[in-house]
Amino acid sequence: MEKWILIFMCLFINEMTCCAQKIKDSKNSIKKSRMIIPNRNIRNIEIPNLEQINNQFTKKDSINIKSPSGINIKLNRVTKNSINDSNYSFEEYDSKGLVRRMFIENSRLYSLEEIYRNENNVILIHKDWDNYKNRSINIDVKYSYVFYDTGELKKIKTYSDNIPVGNWYVYDKSGNEISNVNIEKYFRMSVLQVLEIASKIEIDNLPSYSIARLFDKSHSYWKLEYFQLDGGVSRIFLLDDSNGKTIYNELKTHEPDYRNSGIIDYNSIIEYMRDIFEPFE
């Protein structure tokens, strides 16, 4: 059980260095109440041809190419330290920043990360430090693809700032779906809505917060933890996903008591989440 708790805390925690100072005006702080999460599956993703990409690199460290969508992209080759230089990564950039990152291991495409950006996925975080106020933060959606040794697509995992979102898939080598989970079906509130709640809470001397999702078959919760970047004291909030109300709020200097408080059936939640995500490990 302790192993799975550690796995889930690593998987579900999203550390965002956002200030949690008091917000003065929350009007129009979110353009969309629900995140736009395109459904990537085996039929609509573009898998790069590694051989063709390698052929474009001779002695160059970067090249400029035009993507199928017509966007001009700069492609950088980043060589890792290895004896035979068979492990490295490619990074694609457009005018807005990182688009995709390909990881090559033993001269094969091991995994691929794709960043999806949409102007509607924006929240305004009010800050009283670094001379920022009403600073808008774009909430990206990241797709993580994992491949078999023979090159076939194996897994699709989707995150928003490391919070699992959207549809996840596992396929066999023939492209048949083995497992899938739609994480959004467990939640009424979106990541954007929870971020808005988090940005309104005033916590003295605890400027940063992390967000996690907890759920089982019939209940779902959001965990907000406010903390100092150097560790130590933190304050834990639990929000009921059905109505956004706080069901737990306590300052802690040790492991939070909500796990054994009877407020939620924490062990059952962890067990349920373990069964849901085990195929994706």
Side-chain angles (χ1 to χ4, degrees):
M1 181 64 69
E2 292 299 326
K3 173 186 175 183
W4 282 107
I5 291 175
L6 179 61
I7 291 174
F8 285 125
M9 294 313 293
C10 292
L11 179 64
F12 281 81
I13 287 179
N14 166 38
E15 294 188 358
M16 301 182 62
T17 55
C18 300
C19 183
Q21 301 299 322
K22 187 175 182 180
I23 195 168
K24 294 182 179 180
D25 181 10
S26 62
K27 185 178 181 181
N28 297 324
S29 61
I30 293 182
K31 294 183 179 180
K32 291 283 186 179
S33 62
R34 302 296 298 181
M35 289 190 65
I36 297 176
I37 308 173
N39 182 25
R40 294 289 189 265
N41 56 63
I42 199 170
R43 294 180 298 277
N44 63 16
I45 75 165
E46 176 192 347
I47 300 177
N49 186 310
L50 184 58
E51 183 178 358
Q52 290 180 359
I53 293 176
N54 272 318
N55 289 339
Q56 294 183 71
F57 284 92
T58 52
K59 295 181 179 180
K60 297 180 179 179
D61 293 325
S62 65
I63 57 175
N64 292 315
I65 62 175
K66 185 169 293 250
S67 73
S69 61
I71 300 175
N72 291 320
I73 289 178
K74 182 177 181 180
L75 188 61
N76 296 327
R77 179 167 178 165
V78 183
T79 302
K80 298 180 181 179
N81 293 325
S82 64
I83 296 176
N84 56 9
D85 286 334
S86 63
N87 297 343
Y88 51 91
S89 66
F90 289 117
E91 294 181 345
E92 295 184 7
Y93 294 85
D94 66 5
S95 59
K96 295 183 179 180
L98 180 65
V99 177
R100 293 195 303 180
R101 182 183 288 116
M102 292 163 274
F103 296 93
I104 290 81
E105 185 176 280
N106 297 323
S107 299
R108 68 178 181 85
L109 183 61
Y110 172 75
S111 67
L112 170 68
E113 291 180 356
E114 175 189 37
I115 305 297
Y116 173 83
R117 292 188 171 92
N118 189 288
E119 292 181 356
N120 289 324
N121 291 343
V122 173
I123 183 171
L124 299 180
I125 301 295
H126 292 230
K127 297 187 174 184
D128 291 329
W129 51 282
D130 290 343
N131 297 320
Y132 284 109
K133 288 187 178 180
N134 302 342
R135 182 180 182 183
S136 62
I137 296 178
N138 193 62
I139 307 301
D140 296 332
V141 177
K142 181 180 79 174
Y143 299 91
S144 175
Y145 311 104
V146 179
F147 300 88
Y148 288 101
D149 292 344
T150 47
E152 298 88 356
L153 180 64
K154 183 178 183 181
K155 303 175 186 176
I156 299 178
K157 300 184 283 186
T158 312
Y159 302 89
S160 176
D161 291 296
N162 296 325
I163 301 176
V165 297
N167 293 281
W168 289 33
Y169 298 95
V170 179
Y171 301 97
D172 64 19
K173 290 186 176 181
S174 298
N176 301 310
E177 187 178 295
I178 299 175
S179 179
N180 74 81
V181 57
N182 176 12
I183 299 172
E184 301 310 306
K185 75 178 183 180
Y186 295 99
F187 293 89
R188 295 184 181 181
M189 299 174 65
S190 74
V191 175
L192 293 177
Q193 290 170 305
V194 175
L195 280 172
E196 184 181 37
I197 292 174
S199 68
K200 291 179 181 179
I201 299 174
E202 184 176 11
I203 305 293
D204 293 334
N205 302 318
L206 297 175
S208 302
Y209 55 83
S210 66
I211 299 177
R213 279 176 150 181
L214 300 170
F215 65 94
D216 59 20
K217 188 175 183 179
S218 56
H219 301 89
S220 54
Y221 308 91
W222 296 82
K223 176 193 151 192
L224 306 180
E225 181 173 5
Y226 293 80
F227 54 91
Q228 291 283 3
L229 290 177
D230 57 358
V233 175
S234 65
R235 182 175 287 276
I236 304 292
F237 287 82
L238 282 183
L239 305 180
D240 187 330
D241 175 69
S242 65
N243 54 28
K245 294 182 178 179
T246 300
I247 60 174
Y248 180 89
N249 172 10
E250 191 166 350
L251 193 67
K252 288 296 169 188
T253 57
H254 55 278
E255 286 296 311
D257 288 342
Y258 75 88
R259 295 181 181 179
N260 301 306
S261 65
I263 296 174
I264 65 174
D265 190 348
Y266 182 75
N267 291 331
S268 295
I269 287 175
I270 293 299
E271 183 177 353
Y272 186 78
M273 289 167 58
R274 178 199 63 192
D275 293 339
I276 288 291
F277 286 99
E278 190 169 20
F280 302 95
E281 292 300 315

